[in-house]
Amino acid sequence: MTETTGPVPSERIDLAQSLLLRWDAQQTGFIRHRDLRFEAMVTVIRNICPNKKPRILDLACGPGSLIGLLLKSIPDIEIIGVDKDPLLITIAKDIFGDEDRVTLLEADLDAPSWLDEISGEFDAVVSTTALHWLEPHILSRVYFEIADLIRPGGVFMNGDHLQYDEHSQSTFKAIAKQDDKDAQSASFDHGVDNWEQWWDVAEAVPDYACAVTRRKVIWENKNTAMPKVTLGYHLETLRSAGFSQTGTVWQYLDDYVLAAFR
Ligand SMILES: C[S@@+](CC[C@H](N)C(=O)[O-])C[C@H]1O[C@@H](n2cnc3c(N)ncnc32)[C@H](O)[C@@H]1O
């Protein structure tokens, strides 16, 4: 589903890589310790696959930040990345398309048909800064779906900001909110692209015109006032879906990596 067939020209790969670097800087503006989140995930994967080539599924992988890190950290690995956004998945395909260890699929987690092209068992299913985009009932459905994809002893991990409760944790919430504000201003007031600026740059690339047109249609009716769910909601749902142990493997204020073992 990329816009090119055959080898991707090297200038286009360079451009995609520079967009990924700018994406990483932009995302780090929102997630002060994004690198530590990723590191916690790598540590868990290494531990559950001491003598085995890990097979990983990255849900809503975007342009492939975590995929790139996993390839560097655990060279003998197989990764499948799934994302709904035609432009982000095209950038990922431009960067990793020649890589035998990576398969990239454009698919929408909102519909159960996202599973159509997924087969076999995974050691780990991972996701970062993405599942808060799903309606809670869809998130629950996805948790039941992935429980069937992960081998016994395998893991699901989600790195995301999870909201403190507005009433019973108002002080926690205020501190996390202030820290987010400070992190964002340290980046976005000092030359790092904010969300809109990054998209303006990426959407202006002529090679991506077709993906840009498609993404506009795909996101047209997106509900942007999504209900936020708590850490407890995630953990309880994962338990109900059949995960035997659930908890957190990393936390900074309201930013977590939660883990659920099969
Ligand atoms: C903030 S980005 C994070 C991307 C990447 N995981 C990262 O950490 O850099 C959120 C991602 O979720 C994807 N996404 C949102 N809703 C989705 C859905 N229903 N199905 C698949 N991907 C989705 C978006 O396209 C976007 O790539």
Side-chain angles (χ1 to χ4, degrees):
M1 283 182 230
T2 44
E3 290 160 58
T4 52
T5 49
V8 181
S10 64
E11 313 80 66
R12 181 160 159 165
I13 299 175
D14 291 346
L15 181 65
Q17 279 168 339
S18 76
L19 285 170
L20 178 58
L21 284 177
R22 286 173 81 155
W23 172 269
D24 286 338
Q26 173 253 107
Q27 285 287 295
T28 303
F30 294 106
I31 309 140
R32 195 193 275 281
H33 298 299
R34 187 170 180 256
D35 54 340
L36 297 181
R37 255 192 198 180
F38 285 179
E39 215 176 295
M41 289 180 156
V42 170
T43 300
V44 173
I45 292 170
R46 280 209 178 102
N47 272 271
I48 60 157
C49 295
N51 303 306
K52 177 183 184 305
K53 172 177 177 165
R55 186 162 191 262
I56 312 293
L57 175 62
D58 185 355
L59 299 181
C61 62
S65 309
L66 182 56
I67 292 173
L69 179 76
L70 284 168
L71 291 173
K72 275 192 207 122
S73 310
I74 311 177
D76 193 21
I77 197 167
E78 181 190 347
I79 310 171
I80 298 176
V82 171
D83 201 282
K84 165 178 176 167
D85 192 288
L87 178 48
L88 294 178
I89 205 83
T90 300
I91 294 171
K93 284 179 176 180
D94 282 352
I95 298 169
F96 303 107
D98 279 345
E99 183 48 82
D100 291 342
R101 298 172 292 173
V102 179
T103 305
L104 292 159
L105 303 170
E106 186 181 315
D108 184 352
L109 295 168
D110 286 350
S113 56
W114 76 273
L115 288 163
D116 289 354
E117 290 183 72
I118 308 282
S119 59
E121 211 171 46
F122 291 88
D123 298 294
V125 176
V126 295
S127 187
T128 56
T129 331
L131 297 183
H132 63 272
W133 289 40
L134 304 184
E135 303 264 4
H137 69 282
I138 293 183
L139 177 70
S140 303
R141 198 208 70 228
V142 169
Y143 279 176
F144 278 76
E145 289 164 346
I146 58 170
D148 290 338
L149 297 177
I150 300 175
R151 67 155 166 91
V155 69
F156 165 70
M157 284 182 282
N158 178 24
D160 214 345
H161 274 122
L162 303 174
Q163 306 291 310
Y164 285 121
D165 181 72
E166 201 156 342
H167 305 291
S168 64
Q169 296 177 303
S170 55
T171 307
F172 291 78
K173 199 175 173 82
I175 292 169
K177 206 169 160 186
Q178 184 58 48
D179 187 66
D180 274 348
K181 229 171 133 182
D182 293 344
Q184 287 177 33
S185 108
S187 289
F188 305 140
D189 298 348
H190 295 89
V192 171
D193 299 321
N194 64 26
W195 179 257
E196 289 76 20
Q197 287 165 334
W198 187 88
W199 281 102
D200 286 348
V201 172
E203 290 188 352
V205 174
D207 277 345
Y208 294 147
C210 171
V212 171
T213 307
R214 284 199 303 117
R215 82 174 299 273
K216 293 212 159 128
V217 175
I218 283 172
W219 292 112
E220 200 173 31
N221 297 315
K222 174 76 186 154
N223 173 11
T224 48
M226 198 67 75
K228 303 282 185 213
V229 296
T230 60
L231 172 65
Y233 179 97
H234 285 268
L235 298 183
E236 277 305 314
T237 309
L238 287 161
R239 283 288 261 206
S240 308
F243 288 87
S244 60
Q245 295 181 42
T246 58
T248 54
V249 289
W250 182 85
Q251 179 184 354
Y252 173 77
L253 301 175
D254 64 352
D255 189 10
Y256 295 86
V257 176
L258 66 83
F261 293 91
R262 282 293 277 148

